[in-house]
Amino acid sequence: MNRRRVILTAASVAAGVVLPTGSIAFAQDTAAAASTAQGVNASGNVGHYRFRVGDIAATVLSDGLIGGPPQIYASDAPEAELEEVLRQAFLPTDHMTLNLNTLLIETQGRRILLEAGAGQTMGPLGGRIFDNLAAIGLRPDDIDIVVISHTHPDHVGNLRTADGGKAFPRATVFAPRADWDFFIRNEPDLSYMPVPKDFRRHFAAAIRQSLESVTNDIELYEAGTEIVPGLTTLPALGHTPGMANFLVHSGSDQLLLTADLAYHPIVNIDHAWLPGPDRDKETALASRRRIFDMAAADRLPVLGFHFPFPGLGRMLKTDTGYAWVPADWQF
């Protein structure tokens, strides 16, 4: 894949890339074109990963990639130290790739998608979830429920088709009430985002457009709510006003989904640098410490939305903070 590709995210805009002023493309109608443009086709690597949480069947479904300059995701990192950390991890020093790891759980006769993914709202490498659903024999209308941790475009972009319809036509969509109030019911103040004003406008527009098709029947929840038996939401405020984490549980087995508490293990777990897109950095830091402490103490399996695919591992408490331990691959 061409390393010189441009991924249109908040980070790349901050580096001087400007989003187009035309309409924003969405979901499956443009995913195939994006794949062709980037040289990705059916001969590429698998984008789904199956495992179980007790009696619950779980499948990580990749929606593709986004990314940008590492400093965006480690806003308080000294530049020289950040570059050295990335070199030691064999990562590029000028670009950080972030995955889009949605999770499908199947329980009690229902198929529940946790996070909708970005579609084409944040660059040409998103929108792969529909191909990956097809690869496991499912269609968008097989999804019964979609639960969103927060309403940033990379989590809601696939909800809307290019013609304005529902990408998951049968699904009930759940979103945090506080995010809905902030981003949809009011004009959001995005001045905290470390990106140009023009990008902030496009970012807000992408959220509104992505959610248009579900506005009339959205189900709003407060973090702490049990969506269905076996799926509980946990308060993880700070990144957005209402961001939630998810706890999937069956019998003695559990899985914690941390949404955007951390973007990449190297910069936000192994090192405790602060993500630039957090709206309230102090509250987000408190949420991060509380939930990471819980994950480490309870030895919980964790799924990171933006972590290297399939995003599964565990938190280890160390003398200086935390360390990320990737899970062994299951065949």
Side-chain angles (χ1 to χ4, degrees):
M1 188 175 292
N2 187 351
R3 288 183 177 272
R4 294 173 60 85
R5 67 182 182 270
V6 176
I7 300 178
L8 300 179
T9 67
S12 56
V13 171
V17 178
V18 180
L19 276 171
T21 56
S23 60
I24 299 171
F26 288 87
Q28 61 262 54
D29 291 349
T30 50
S35 297
T36 300
Q38 297 298 328
V40 177
N41 53 43
S43 64
N45 290 321
V46 66
H48 59 87
Y49 182 78
R50 298 179 187 269
F51 61 106
R52 298 194 70 85
V53 182
D55 292 332
I56 298 175
T59 308
V60 180
L61 296 169
S62 175
D63 190 49
L65 305 171
I66 59 173
Q71 196 76 47
I72 290 292
Y73 311 113
S75 62
D76 58 338
E79 183 177 355
E81 184 179 352
L82 176 59
E83 288 188 2
E84 181 60 19
V85 164
L86 294 172
R87 275 194 292 268
Q88 291 291 332
F90 301 98
L91 294 173
T93 60
D94 61 345
H95 183 88
M96 176 159 280
T97 296
L98 303 179
N99 285 254
L100 299 165
N101 300 320
T102 71
L103 184 71
L104 175 69
I105 60 174
E106 300 177 73
T107 178
Q108 299 182 344
R110 287 179 286 195
R111 296 187 177 99
I112 303 168
L113 185 64
L114 304 180
E115 312 287 24
Q120 302 294 292
T121 63
M122 296 188 71
L125 296 184
R128 309 298 175 85
I129 191 174
F130 301 101
D131 287 342
N132 287 316
L133 272 172
I136 62 171
L138 296 177
R139 297 170 49 85
D141 58 7
D142 291 318
I143 303 301
D144 299 294
I145 294 172
V146 180
V147 190
I148 305 300
S149 67
H150 65 291
T151 61
H152 279 177
D154 51 326
H155 295 255
V156 301
N158 278 320
L159 290 176
R160 179 187 186 272
T161 62
D163 62 3
K166 293 182 178 181
F168 303 97
R170 292 183 48 256
T172 301
V173 177
F174 290 78
R177 183 180 301 277
D179 269 28
W180 191 265
D181 290 343
F182 181 77
F183 289 104
I184 303 299
R185 288 189 172 140
N186 297 289
E187 191 66 31
D189 178 5
L190 302 181
S191 59
Y192 65 91
M193 295 183 68
V195 293
K197 184 177 180 179
D198 187 55
F199 178 80
R200 295 174 198 155
R201 187 176 73 249
H202 285 289
F203 189 88
I207 294 171
R208 290 179 180 274
Q209 289 184 38
S210 298
L211 291 165
E212 276 179 351
S213 65
V214 300
T215 296
N216 292 332
D217 52 6
I218 191 85
E219 292 283 346
L220 301 179
Y221 70 84
E222 307 284 349
T225 300
E226 184 179 65
I227 303 296
V228 298
L231 174 60
T232 302
T233 62
L234 306 174
L237 311 183
H239 183 64
T240 66
M243 191 177 83
N245 282 184
F246 302 131
L247 189 66
V248 179
H249 48 96
S250 172
S252 61
D253 291 344
Q254 299 181 88
L255 173 70
L256 173 67
L257 284 73
T258 56
D260 284 8
L261 281 184
Y263 280 101
H264 195 288
I266 294 296
V267 298
N268 304 132
I269 299 178
D270 297 345
H271 296 80
W273 290 318
L274 302 179
D278 286 350
R279 178 173 178 263
D280 182 337
K281 287 182 171 53
E282 289 301 315
T283 300
L285 178 59
S287 294
R288 194 173 302 117
R289 287 172 173 167
R290 171 174 48 83
I291 289 177
F292 286 5
D293 281 350
M294 177 186 75
D298 295 345
R299 303 179 63 86
L300 296 176
V302 172
L303 172 60
F305 181 71
H306 289 301
F307 296 2
F309 181 83
L312 293 163
R314 281 184 166 84
M315 300 284 184
L316 178 67
K317 192 73 182 286
T318 69
D319 292 340
T320 58
Y322 311 94
W324 176 249
V325 183
D328 287 340
W329 190 275
Q330 298 178 23
F331 290 92

